[in-house]
Amino acid sequence: MPLKILLLRHGQTQGNLERRYIGSTDQPLCIQGRAALFNRTLPPVDRIYTSPLLRCGETAAILFPNQPAEPVYDLRECSFGAFENRTYEELKDDPAYRAWLDTGGETSPPDGESKSEQKSRTLRAFHAIVSQHEAGTIALVVHGGTIMTILESLEPSHEFYRWQAENGCGYLCTWDGAGLTVETSIE
């Protein structure tokens, strides 16, 4: 029996509501974000892994009450450096921001992390986790960028933006030891 993996994005934060880059900014869920997570029906899971950021731990506690979650440092979102906690409107005239956008986010924001740096650590963490499981179902309660990175790298389409997930949503996947197949969306 293959390993099933729920890739779930954390619930909404105030920064999400305000459309801010909150990659490494450690924000809790906002009231609306918490409320939207209650009464969700998800498949049972054997083990839960989260990003170490507060919003992911809070999401896991609501979605999987009475089940411990293991924070994994390298599942955190990309650090946006000097762009952290700022909006497009606040940044749109900044030459460094324009240059970063022109590369499709491939380069590092000032004092931030490049897409390749984030990808390397995320995949290292993912492979360490799945190597501990032969079958069953696990959940990774993480960030939108983390989900897109995993699926871009391990799902056959190799598309990044195809895998954008709304807050509190994600994908149920099957891991065959080499790649992921997305079975269904979790909305």
Side-chain angles (χ1 to χ4, degrees):
M1 182 171 151
L3 178 64
K4 299 285 186 181
I5 303 172
L6 279 172
L7 295 173
L8 298 169
R9 185 178 177 203
H10 62 79
Q12 197 170 52
T13 66
Q14 189 63 38
N16 294 141
L17 285 173
E18 296 169 2
R19 302 183 61 88
R20 294 183 179 281
Y21 289 98
I22 59 161
S24 62
T25 302
D26 201 8
Q27 291 190 336
L29 300 175
C30 63
I31 293 170
Q32 302 92 316
R34 294 180 67 74
L37 295 172
F38 284 100
N39 301 315
R40 303 282 310 276
T41 302
L42 295 171
V45 298
D46 303 306
R47 191 102 183 253
I48 303 160
Y49 299 92
T50 68
S51 157
L53 297 180
L54 184 60
R55 57 196 181 262
C56 294
E58 289 180 343
T59 299
I62 293 169
L63 294 177
F64 304 102
N66 305 314
Q67 275 189 274
E70 181 180 335
V72 177
Y73 183 72
D74 282 341
L75 290 178
R76 68 195 185 282
E77 180 64 281
C78 182
S79 168
F80 295 109
F83 306 149
E84 279 287 325
N85 211 22
R86 298 177 69 196
T87 67
Y88 170 81
E89 285 301 316
E90 294 169 346
L91 292 166
K92 67 182 180 185
D93 297 323
D94 180 332
Y97 178 69
R98 300 296 318 160
W100 178 69
L101 286 182
D102 289 345
T103 71
E106 294 291 331
T107 58
S108 303
D111 301 318
E113 183 177 32
S114 73
K115 186 175 178 182
S116 65
E117 290 168 329
Q118 190 248 352
K119 180 178 183 176
S120 176
R121 72 168 164 76
T122 298
L123 292 178
R124 183 175 56 247
F126 178 86
H127 286 292
I129 290 167
V130 297
S131 72
Q132 300 174 48
H133 302 275
E134 292 183 20
T137 303
I138 63 172
L140 275 63
V141 182
V142 292
H143 308 274
T146 306
I147 292 170
M148 291 189 295
T149 297
I150 290 169
L151 289 174
E152 174 193 35
S153 302
L154 299 170
E155 189 274 337
S157 73
H158 300 293
E159 295 177 31
F160 185 75
Y161 291 106
R162 174 180 184 182
W163 304 112
Q164 293 182 44
E166 296 294 325
N167 292 106
C169 299
Y171 304 95
L172 175 61
C173 305
T174 301
W175 172 251
D176 66 7
L180 286 169
T181 301
V182 175
E183 302 295 331
T184 189
S185 295
I186 305 292
E187 297 179 14

